[in-house]
Amino acid sequence: MVEIELDGKKVEVPPGSMVMDAANKLGTYIPHFCYHKKLSIAANCRMCLVEVEKAPKPLPACATPVTPGMIVRSHSDKAVQAQKSVMEFLLINHPLDCPICDQGGECQLQDLAVGYGKSNSRYAEEKRVVAPKEAGPLISMEEMSRCIQCTRCVRFGQEVAGVMEFGMVGRGEHSEITTFVGKSVDSEVSGNMIDLCPVGALTSKPFRYSARPWELQRRRSVSPHDSLGSNLIVQVKGGKVMRVLPLENETINECWISDKDRFSYEALDNAARLVNPMIKQDGKWIDIDWQTALEYVAHGLRNIRHEHGAGSIAAVGTAHSTVEELFLLQKAMRGFGVENVDFRLRQSDFALDGTVVPSLGMPIAELSNLQRVLVVGSFLRKDHPLAATRLRAAVKSGAKLSIVHGSHDDNLIPTANRLIAAPSDWLAALSEIAVAVASAKGIAAPAGFDNVEAGDAAKGIAATLVVDNAADLPGAVLLGNAVSHHPQASKLHAVAQWIAEQTGAKFGYFVEAANTVGGYLVNATSPNAAKLFAEPKKAYVLLNAEPELDAANPQQAVKALQGAEMVVVMSAFKHGMDYADVLLPISPFSETAGTFVNCEGRAQSFNGTVKPLGETRPAWKVLRVLGNLLGLQGFDYENSESIRDEALGKGVMEHGDKLNNTARLAPSAAAYGSGDGLERLADVPIYFADAIARRSEPLLRTADAQAPLATISAKLAERIGVKAGDVVTVSQGTGSVNLAAAIDTRLPAHVVRVAAAHQLTSVLGDMFGPISITKAPAGAGEGQ
């Protein structure tokens, strides 16, 4: 440790630290613009100039390394005069438009100008003007004249997002931040650049001119989207969510959030919202009151149970529902004698039920410190944007990342090894890696692996995983959403688990959604999960679920729903109008109290941030009343906390002891298939993964929300006579759709990549399985 004196106080910091680090440790504020604790040092704003004894001139605190015995004064006359001079320079060209600036009231430049600026300027020349730029539907660059070239946005793109979408052109007073020619900003974490901008140059396009910061009430919440459980600040005005910002939590989301977390709020108050209970009569939808709606549901469920038995009823939730909602759903259904309750709609292999309760298997923060990582079956950047930023940081620190997947997606992370194989060959790929690990360690491979021969890619992956000092080089084998959805999920799990055990690596799942772990903890699972739609039921109760978009086989799900006598849709949005009988408006995360359990097993409770819209009610209240109307005991809850305490145990917010990634399944080997038939690889696009995101208009205008493509290999394209942009007909089972073709030279030859969870592809079948593709007839359009 190095001891220095700062403003008369002694402080110790590690060697290599900067004066700014010492100031932060002491809690001493040094004014700055370009410095940010998560970004590299640029030292280009010079606002943090301090006086260092024996130095001939002031030095920037952010870029001056500490030396033993150094004496620093951050508020001496010399330092303050230097800081004021810098402020004068920064304001030479800055426009005087604070009254109309969206950043007004939360602007770093505005705040520091009060303390370090003058009331008049010695510079009377005309201020420079920078032309507005177009950066896409999320970030506004209309007032780039305000930019002070701190380059925080540029460095964030390079260092955190992994893609340089902003850069600086020109020199001197002609310097300006711009996008690449003709390009928009498409990173899934781009909105963080709005937060980083210390002036009003980069602002939120959806929020622009809608409210002033001092008019907004700030309330804490938790993201309802991916499994990280990012902490949010929801800003409210007049009973409406106006903006969502990150709440810093170093152990979960650091100081970032994904664009899905940030901009999905736009769906909370739009025309798609369901605001009144509705019932279908003579083929027409009419508004009714809650009492009538719930009595109709209770009466219908009683009749169907009486006529067809409790086995003819199923309740389907999603992992975007809260702990309280899923707990009451399964409690009400099981109290009514119904065992068909599940939330794992995209899953197709349930062989591990009863033993595995999946989780990350480590604290989220440890992702940043890993040195050896194998990720299997994950569209990493789009499925888990902030987990990807942590792995990106780990690789920058020397980690070796290996990937086994069905496509060569660019995760914007330097990758040591890739093994790209068709989904049906993932087990064969892992079998190779297992054999390579056994060979590298000089141990026996699992029984039945004798005929497996490891290829170069498998040997490369094994070499990064097998190290002598495993305890000093933390490693992990992590399974992605595509493994959870895979028809051989249990076999993939068994081999991956063996690889992790032999290499001394942690083993876990990224897990799919905000409350996947919570769904397991409250037992919202059924031994009949695979048959929920495969064996059509007479009645379905849907909680936040849109099976045509959320199910592993939407074709099968829709057929079952259309054939049911009664379908009850509990949702915040209007959907299922063609197969539903009752629509019950329930609150999204912003209008209800609840709990999500994230991928590491951490339960995070939150309160509603605004009042429910129209006649919307929190789902736990609806299920409580429904339980009473069905004549069930134990449905007298006063608040969501009492439900949470019953579901998870009072006062217990960490649930690592209840989670288990260890299966009792022996690894089984597989050989590569012949590749004769075509098979589908289905990703879930980032902005179509859940009901809220897929209705947010700004997100739907991004590049990631464009209509799905049918991506095929160059070999397959040549075989069927198709070039990029041609319309092709993709068929599965009884459904087919016309899509534009894209060609990926790195895709396995017999794989057709077609996204799931989109309205266009909802007519297709299994996410993984046989598929056919032909060139569409002349004149055929997309989506037909």
mmCIF file with all atom_site columns, all heavy atoms in Angstrom, residues 190-210:
data_model
loop_
_atom_site.group_PDB
_atom_site.id
_atom_site.type_symbol
_atom_site.label_atom_id
_atom_site.label_alt_id
_atom_site.label_comp_id
_atom_site.label_asym_id
_atom_site.label_entity_id
_atom_site.label_seq_id
_atom_site.pdbx_PDB_ins_code
_atom_site.Cartn_x
_atom_site.Cartn_y
_atom_site.Cartn_z
_atom_site.occupancy
_atom_site.B_iso_or_equiv
_atom_site.pdbx_formal_charge
_atom_site.auth_seq_id
_atom_site.auth_comp_id
_atom_site.auth_asym_id
_atom_site.auth_atom_id
_atom_site.pdbx_PDB_model_num
ATOM 1   N N   . SER A 1 190 ? -26.943 0.104  -25.051 1.00 0.00 ? 190 SER A N   1
ATOM 2   C CA  . SER A 1 190 ? -26.581 1.450  -25.506 1.00 0.00 ? 190 SER A CA  1
ATOM 3   C C   . SER A 1 190 ? -27.132 2.550  -24.614 1.00 0.00 ? 190 SER A C   1
ATOM 4   O O   . SER A 1 190 ? -26.531 3.621  -24.502 1.00 0.00 ? 190 SER A O   1
ATOM 5   C CB  . SER A 1 190 ? -27.075 1.663  -26.939 1.00 0.00 ? 190 SER A CB  1
ATOM 6   O OG  . SER A 1 190 ? -28.500 1.669  -26.979 1.00 0.00 ? 190 SER A OG  1
ATOM 7   N N   . GLY A 1 191 ? -28.264 2.325  -23.973 1.00 0.00 ? 191 GLY A N   1
ATOM 8   C CA  . GLY A 1 191 ? -28.885 3.373  -23.163 1.00 0.00 ? 191 GLY A CA  1
ATOM 9   C C   . GLY A 1 191 ? -28.019 3.863  -22.025 1.00 0.00 ? 191 GLY A C   1
ATOM 10  O O   . GLY A 1 191 ? -28.220 4.975  -21.513 1.00 0.00 ? 191 GLY A O   1
ATOM 11  N N   . ASN A 1 192 ? -27.043 3.061  -21.611 1.00 0.00 ? 192 ASN A N   1
ATOM 12  C CA  . ASN A 1 192 ? -26.144 3.498  -20.536 1.00 0.00 ? 192 ASN A CA  1
ATOM 13  C C   . ASN A 1 192 ? -25.321 4.707  -20.947 1.00 0.00 ? 192 ASN A C   1
ATOM 14  O O   . ASN A 1 192 ? -24.852 5.456  -20.085 1.00 0.00 ? 192 ASN A O   1
ATOM 15  C CB  . ASN A 1 192 ? -25.224 2.342  -20.125 1.00 0.00 ? 192 ASN A CB  1
ATOM 16  C CG  . ASN A 1 192 ? -25.991 1.214  -19.466 1.00 0.00 ? 192 ASN A CG  1
ATOM 17  O OD1 . ASN A 1 192 ? -26.546 1.376  -18.391 1.00 0.00 ? 192 ASN A OD1 1
ATOM 18  N ND2 . ASN A 1 192 ? -26.049 0.067  -20.126 1.00 0.00 ? 192 ASN A ND2 1
ATOM 19  N N   . MET A 1 193 ? -25.158 4.914  -22.255 1.00 0.00 ? 193 MET A N   1
ATOM 20  C CA  . MET A 1 193 ? -24.403 6.085  -22.719 1.00 0.00 ? 193 MET A CA  1
ATOM 21  C C   . MET A 1 193 ? -25.170 7.370  -22.416 1.00 0.00 ? 193 MET A C   1
ATOM 22  O O   . MET A 1 193 ? -24.572 8.431  -22.266 1.00 0.00 ? 193 MET A O   1
ATOM 23  C CB  . MET A 1 193 ? -24.093 5.956  -24.206 1.00 0.00 ? 193 MET A CB  1
ATOM 24  C CG  . MET A 1 193 ? -23.136 4.803  -24.498 1.00 0.00 ? 193 MET A CG  1
ATOM 25  S SD  . MET A 1 193 ? -22.479 4.771  -26.168 1.00 0.00 ? 193 MET A SD  1
ATOM 26  C CE  . MET A 1 193 ? -23.778 3.965  -27.052 1.00 0.00 ? 193 MET A CE  1
ATOM 27  N N   . ILE A 1 194 ? -26.491 7.267  -22.330 1.00 0.00 ? 194 ILE A N   1
ATOM 28  C CA  . ILE A 1 194 ? -27.300 8.437  -21.953 1.00 0.00 ? 194 ILE A CA  1
ATOM 29  C C   . ILE A 1 194 ? -26.977 8.819  -20.515 1.00 0.00 ? 194 ILE A C   1
ATOM 30  O O   . ILE A 1 194 ? -26.786 9.993  -20.191 1.00 0.00 ? 194 ILE A O   1
ATOM 31  C CB  . ILE A 1 194 ? -28.806 8.124  -22.102 1.00 0.00 ? 194 ILE A CB  1
ATOM 32  C CG1 . ILE A 1 194 ? -29.140 7.788  -23.555 1.00 0.00 ? 194 ILE A CG1 1
ATOM 33  C CG2 . ILE A 1 194 ? -29.654 9.279  -21.583 1.00 0.00 ? 194 ILE A CG2 1
ATOM 34  C CD1 . ILE A 1 194 ? -30.527 7.180  -23.745 1.00 0.00 ? 194 ILE A CD1 1
ATOM 35  N N   . ASP A 1 195 ? -26.916 7.807  -19.632 1.00 0.00 ? 195 ASP A N   1
ATOM 36  C CA  . ASP A 1 195 ? -26.584 8.074  -18.228 1.00 0.00 ? 195 ASP A CA  1
ATOM 37  C C   . ASP A 1 195 ? -25.172 8.630  -18.082 1.00 0.00 ? 195 ASP A C   1
ATOM 38  O O   . ASP A 1 195 ? -24.907 9.485  -17.236 1.00 0.00 ? 195 ASP A O   1
ATOM 39  C CB  . ASP A 1 195 ? -26.668 6.783  -17.396 1.00 0.00 ? 195 ASP A CB  1
ATOM 40  C CG  . ASP A 1 195 ? -28.079 6.239  -17.313 1.00 0.00 ? 195 ASP A CG  1
ATOM 41  O OD1 . ASP A 1 195 ? -29.026 7.006  -17.561 1.00 0.00 ? 195 ASP A OD1 1
ATOM 42  O OD2 . ASP A 1 195 ? -28.240 5.045  -17.008 1.00 0.00 ? 195 ASP A OD2 1
ATOM 43  N N   . LEU A 1 196 ? -24.243 8.110  -18.892 1.00 0.00 ? 196 LEU A N   1
ATOM 44  C CA  . LEU A 1 196 ? -22.847 8.511  -18.762 1.00 0.00 ? 196 LEU A CA  1
ATOM 45  C C   . LEU A 1 196 ? -22.607 9.934  -19.238 1.00 0.00 ? 196 LEU A C   1
ATOM 46  O O   . LEU A 1 196 ? -21.702 10.613 -18.753 1.00 0.00 ? 196 LEU A O   1
ATOM 47  C CB  . LEU A 1 196 ? -21.957 7.561  -19.581 1.00 0.00 ? 196 LEU A CB  1
ATOM 48  C CG  . LEU A 1 196 ? -21.722 6.172  -18.991 1.00 0.00 ? 196 LEU A CG  1
ATOM 49  C CD1 . LEU A 1 196 ? -21.002 5.296  -19.999 1.00 0.00 ? 196 LEU A CD1 1
ATOM 50  C CD2 . LEU A 1 196 ? -20.905 6.268  -17.709 1.00 0.00 ? 196 LEU A CD2 1
ATOM 51  N N   . CYS A 1 197 ? -23.406 10.402 -20.192 1.00 0.00 ? 197 CYS A N   1
ATOM 52  C CA  . CYS A 1 197 ? -23.191 11.739 -20.756 1.00 0.00 ? 197 CYS A CA  1
ATOM 53  C C   . CYS A 1 197 ? -23.368 12.791 -19.664 1.00 0.00 ? 197 CYS A C   1
ATOM 54  O O   . CYS A 1 197 ? -24.444 12.905 -19.077 1.00 0.00 ? 197 CYS A O   1
ATOM 55  C CB  . CYS A 1 197 ? -24.169 11.995 -21.901 1.00 0.00 ? 197 CYS A CB  1
ATOM 56  S SG  . CYS A 1 197 ? -23.855 13.565 -22.736 1.00 0.00 ? 197 CYS A SG  1
ATOM 57  N N   . PRO A 1 198 ? -22.330 13.580 -19.362 1.00 0.00 ? 198 PRO A N   1
ATOM 58  C CA  . PRO A 1 198 ? -22.438 14.544 -18.247 1.00 0.00 ? 198 PRO A CA  1
ATOM 59  C C   . PRO A 1 198 ? -23.159 15.827 -18.625 1.00 0.00 ? 198 PRO A C   1
ATOM 60  O O   . PRO A 1 198 ? -23.383 16.689 -17.790 1.00 0.00 ? 198 PRO A O   1
ATOM 61  C CB  . PRO A 1 198 ? -20.973 14.825 -17.903 1.00 0.00 ? 198 PRO A CB  1
ATOM 62  C CG  . PRO A 1 198 ? -20.256 14.648 -19.199 1.00 0.00 ? 198 PRO A CG  1
ATOM 63  C CD  . PRO A 1 198 ? -20.995 13.585 -19.961 1.00 0.00 ? 198 PRO A CD  1
ATOM 64  N N   . VAL A 1 199 ? -23.516 15.948 -19.913 1.00 0.00 ? 199 VAL A N   1
ATOM 65  C CA  . VAL A 1 199 ? -24.251 17.133 -20.385 1.00 0.00 ? 199 VAL A CA  1
ATOM 66  C C   . VAL A 1 199 ? -25.491 16.648 -21.135 1.00 0.00 ? 199 VAL A C   1
ATOM 67  O O   . VAL A 1 199 ? -25.813 15.478 -21.109 1.00 0.00 ? 199 VAL A O   1
ATOM 68  C CB  . VAL A 1 199 ? -23.345 18.013 -21.273 1.00 0.00 ? 199 VAL A CB  1
ATOM 69  C CG1 . VAL A 1 199 ? -22.207 18.610 -20.466 1.00 0.00 ? 199 VAL A CG1 1
ATOM 70  C CG2 . VAL A 1 199 ? -22.797 17.226 -22.452 1.00 0.00 ? 199 VAL A CG2 1
ATOM 71  N N   . GLY A 1 200 ? -26.161 17.535 -21.849 1.00 0.00 ? 200 GLY A N   1
ATOM 72  C CA  . GLY A 1 200 ? -27.391 17.138 -22.535 1.00 0.00 ? 200 GLY A CA  1
ATOM 73  C C   . GLY A 1 200 ? -27.184 16.792 -23.993 1.00 0.00 ? 200 GLY A C   1
ATOM 74  O O   . GLY A 1 200 ? -28.073 17.006 -24.815 1.00 0.00 ? 200 GLY A O   1
ATOM 75  N N   . ALA A 1 201 ? -26.007 16.234 -24.320 1.00 0.00 ? 201 ALA A N   1
ATOM 76  C CA  . ALA A 1 201 ? -25.730 15.904 -25.723 1.00 0.00 ? 201 ALA A CA  1
ATOM 77  C C   . ALA A 1 201 ? -26.426 14.617 -26.142 1.00 0.00 ? 201 ALA A C   1
ATOM 78  O O   . ALA A 1 201 ? -27.041 14.541 -27.201 1.00 0.00 ? 201 ALA A O   1
ATOM 79  C CB  . ALA A 1 201 ? -24.222 15.796 -25.935 1.00 0.00 ? 201 ALA A CB  1
ATOM 80  N N   . LEU A 1 202 ? -26.318 13.572 -25.321 1.00 0.00 ? 202 LEU A N   1
ATOM 81  C CA  . LEU A 1 202 ? -27.015 12.314 -25.573 1.00 0.00 ? 202 LEU A CA  1
ATOM 82  C C   . LEU A 1 202 ? -28.177 12.214 -24.600 1.00 0.00 ? 202 LEU A C   1
ATOM 83  O O   . LEU A 1 202 ? -27.974 12.211 -23.383 1.00 0.00 ? 202 LEU A O   1
ATOM 84  C CB  . LEU A 1 202 ? -26.075 11.112 -25.369 1.00 0.00 ? 202 LEU A CB  1
ATOM 85  C CG  . LEU A 1 202 ? -24.794 11.071 -26.196 1.00 0.00 ? 202 LEU A CG  1
ATOM 86  C CD1 . LEU A 1 202 ? -24.002 9.814  -25.862 1.00 0.00 ? 202 LEU A CD1 1
ATOM 87  C CD2 . LEU A 1 202 ? -25.092 11.137 -27.682 1.00 0.00 ? 202 LEU A CD2 1
ATOM 88  N N   . THR A 1 203 ? -29.392 12.174 -25.120 1.00 0.00 ? 203 THR A N   1
ATOM 89  C CA  . THR A 1 203 ? -30.560 12.084 -24.252 1.00 0.00 ? 203 THR A CA  1
ATOM 90  C C   . THR A 1 203 ? -31.460 10.948 -24.719 1.00 0.00 ? 203 THR A C   1
ATOM 91  O O   . THR A 1 203 ? -31.313 10.425 -25.821 1.00 0.00 ? 203 THR A O   1
ATOM 92  C CB  . THR A 1 203 ? -31.348 13.412 -24.235 1.00 0.00 ? 203 THR A CB  1
ATOM 93  O OG1 . THR A 1 203 ? -31.647 13.784 -25.579 1.00 0.00 ? 203 THR A OG1 1
ATOM 94  C CG2 . THR A 1 203 ? -30.556 14.516 -23.556 1.00 0.00 ? 203 THR A CG2 1
ATOM 95  N N   . SER A 1 204 ? -32.396 10.588 -23.866 1.00 0.00 ? 204 SER A N   1
ATOM 96  C CA  . SER A 1 204 ? -33.312 9.483  -24.170 1.00 0.00 ? 204 SER A CA  1
ATOM 97  C C   . SER A 1 204 ? -34.376 9.951  -25.149 1.00 0.00 ? 204 SER A C   1
ATOM 98  O O   . SER A 1 204 ? -35.138 10.875 -24.864 1.00 0.00 ? 204 SER A O   1
ATOM 99  C CB  . SER A 1 204 ? -33.972 8.990  -22.881 1.00 0.00 ? 204 SER A CB  1
ATOM 100 O OG  . SER A 1 204 ? -35.069 8.155  -23.175 1.00 0.00 ? 204 SER A OG  1
ATOM 101 N N   . LYS A 1 205 ? -34.437 9.312  -26.303 1.00 0.00 ? 205 LYS A N   1
ATOM 102 C CA  . LYS A 1 205 ? -35.405 9.732  -27.322 1.00 0.00 ? 205 LYS A CA  1
ATOM 103 C C   . LYS A 1 205 ? -36.853 9.511  -26.856 1.00 0.00 ? 205 LYS A C   1
ATOM 104 O O   . LYS A 1 205 ? -37.693 10.390 -27.031 1.00 0.00 ? 205 LYS A O   1
ATOM 105 C CB  . LYS A 1 205 ? -35.136 9.011  -28.642 1.00 0.00 ? 205 LYS A CB  1
ATOM 106 C CG  . LYS A 1 205 ? -35.776 9.674  -29.838 1.00 0.00 ? 205 LYS A CG  1
ATOM 107 C CD  . LYS A 1 205 ? -35.286 9.098  -31.162 1.00 0.00 ? 205 LYS A CD  1
ATOM 108 C CE  . LYS A 1 205 ? -34.120 9.828  -31.732 1.00 0.00 ? 205 LYS A CE  1
ATOM 109 N NZ  . LYS A 1 205 ? -33.793 9.409  -33.106 1.00 0.00 ? 205 LYS A NZ  1
ATOM 110 N N   . PRO A 1 206 ? -37.198 8.365  -26.241 1.00 0.00 ? 206 PRO A N   1
ATOM 111 C CA  . PRO A 1 206 ? -38.588 8.191  -25.784 1.00 0.00 ? 206 PRO A CA  1
ATOM 112 C C   . PRO A 1 206 ? -38.978 9.164  -24.663 1.00 0.00 ? 206 PRO A C   1
ATOM 113 O O   . PRO A 1 206 ? -40.128 9.572  -24.565 1.00 0.00 ? 206 PRO A O   1
ATOM 114 C CB  . PRO A 1 206 ? -38.610 6.744  -25.282 1.00 0.00 ? 206 PRO A CB  1
ATOM 115 C CG  . PRO A 1 206 ? -37.493 6.067  -25.987 1.00 0.00 ? 206 PRO A CG  1
ATOM 116 C CD  . PRO A 1 206 ? -36.438 7.116  -26.131 1.00 0.00 ? 206 PRO A CD  1
ATOM 117 N N   . PHE A 1 207 ? -38.011 9.535  -23.812 1.00 0.00 ? 207 PHE A N   1
ATOM 118 C CA  . PHE A 1 207 ? -38.308 10.407 -22.658 1.00 0.00 ? 207 PHE A CA  1
ATOM 119 C C   . PHE A 1 207 ? -38.259 11.887 -23.025 1.00 0.00 ? 207 PHE A C   1
ATOM 120 O O   . PHE A 1 207 ? -38.822 12.730 -22.323 1.00 0.00 ? 207 PHE A O   1
ATOM 121 C CB  . PHE A 1 207 ? -37.295 10.112 -21.545 1.00 0.00 ? 207 PHE A CB  1
ATOM 122 C CG  . PHE A 1 207 ? -37.405 11.014 -20.341 1.00 0.00 ? 207 PHE A CG  1
ATOM 123 C CD1 . PHE A 1 207 ? -38.490 10.927 -19.479 1.00 0.00 ? 207 PHE A CD1 1
ATOM 124 C CD2 . PHE A 1 207 ? -36.416 11.959 -20.075 1.00 0.00 ? 207 PHE A CD2 1
ATOM 125 C CE1 . PHE A 1 207 ? -38.584 11.762 -18.363 1.00 0.00 ? 207 PHE A CE1 1
ATOM 126 C CE2 . PHE A 1 207 ? -36.508 12.798 -18.965 1.00 0.00 ? 207 PHE A CE2 1
ATOM 127 C CZ  . PHE A 1 207 ? -37.592 12.697 -18.111 1.00 0.00 ? 207 PHE A CZ  1
ATOM 128 N N   . ARG A 1 208 ? -37.655 12.207 -24.120 1.00 0.00 ? 208 ARG A N   1
ATOM 129 C CA  . ARG A 1 208 ? -37.355 13.580 -24.525 1.00 0.00 ? 208 ARG A CA  1
ATOM 130 C C   . ARG A 1 208 ? -38.562 14.523 -24.409 1.00 0.00 ? 208 ARG A C   1
ATOM 131 O O   . ARG A 1 208 ? -39.642 14.250 -24.910 1.00 0.00 ? 208 ARG A O   1
ATOM 132 C CB  . ARG A 1 208 ? -36.867 13.516 -25.966 1.00 0.00 ? 208 ARG A CB  1
ATOM 133 C CG  . ARG A 1 208 ? -36.306 14.761 -26.565 1.00 0.00 ? 208 ARG A CG  1
ATOM 134 C CD  . ARG A 1 208 ? -35.725 14.369 -27.933 1.00 0.00 ? 208 ARG A CD  1
ATOM 135 N NE  . ARG A 1 208 ? -35.592 15.517 -28.806 1.00 0.00 ? 208 ARG A NE  1
ATOM 136 C CZ  . ARG A 1 208 ? -34.603 16.383 -28.745 1.00 0.00 ? 208 ARG A CZ  1
ATOM 137 N NH1 . ARG A 1 208 ? -33.667 16.234 -27.831 1.00 0.00 ? 208 ARG A NH1 1
ATOM 138 N NH2 . ARG A 1 208 ? -34.543 17.402 -29.578 1.00 0.00 ? 208 ARG A NH2 1
ATOM 139 N N   . TYR A 1 209 ? -38.361 15.630 -23.724 1.00 0.00 ? 209 TYR A N   1
ATOM 140 C CA  . TYR A 1 209 ? -39.364 16.692 -23.572 1.00 0.00 ? 209 TYR A CA  1
ATOM 141 C C   . TYR A 1 209 ? -40.654 16.225 -22.886 1.00 0.00 ? 209 TYR A C   1
ATOM 142 O O   . TYR A 1 209 ? -41.708 16.816 -23.092 1.00 0.00 ? 209 TYR A O   1
ATOM 143 C CB  . TYR A 1 209 ? -39.713 17.313 -24.936 1.00 0.00 ? 209 TYR A CB  1
ATOM 144 C CG  . TYR A 1 209 ? -38.569 18.036 -25.596 1.00 0.00 ? 209 TYR A CG  1
ATOM 145 C CD1 . TYR A 1 209 ? -38.431 18.057 -26.985 1.00 0.00 ? 209 TYR A CD1 1
ATOM 146 C CD2 . TYR A 1 209 ? -37.613 18.706 -24.837 1.00 0.00 ? 209 TYR A CD2 1
ATOM 147 C CE1 . TYR A 1 209 ? -37.379 18.723 -27.601 1.00 0.00 ? 209 TYR A CE1 1
ATOM 148 C CE2 . TYR A 1 209 ? -36.552 19.364 -25.443 1.00 0.00 ? 209 TYR A CE2 1
ATOM 149 C CZ  . TYR A 1 209 ? -36.442 19.375 -26.815 1.00 0.00 ? 209 TYR A CZ  1
ATOM 150 O OH  . TYR A 1 209 ? -35.395 20.029 -27.417 1.00 0.00 ? 209 TYR A OH  1
ATOM 151 N N   . SER A 1 210 ? -40.604 15.161 -22.114 1.00 0.00 ? 210 SER A N   1
ATOM 152 C CA  . SER A 1 210 ? -41.842 14.679 -21.486 1.00 0.00 ? 210 SER A CA  1
ATOM 153 C C   . SER A 1 210 ? -41.950 15.063 -20.013 1.00 0.00 ? 210 SER A C   1
ATOM 154 O O   . SER A 1 210 ? -43.046 15.074 -19.462 1.00 0.00 ? 210 SER A O   1
ATOM 155 C CB  . SER A 1 210 ? -41.966 13.160 -21.623 1.00 0.00 ? 210 SER A CB  1
ATOM 156 O OG  . SER A 1 210 ? -40.878 12.512 -21.026 1.00 0.00 ? 210 SER A OG  1
#
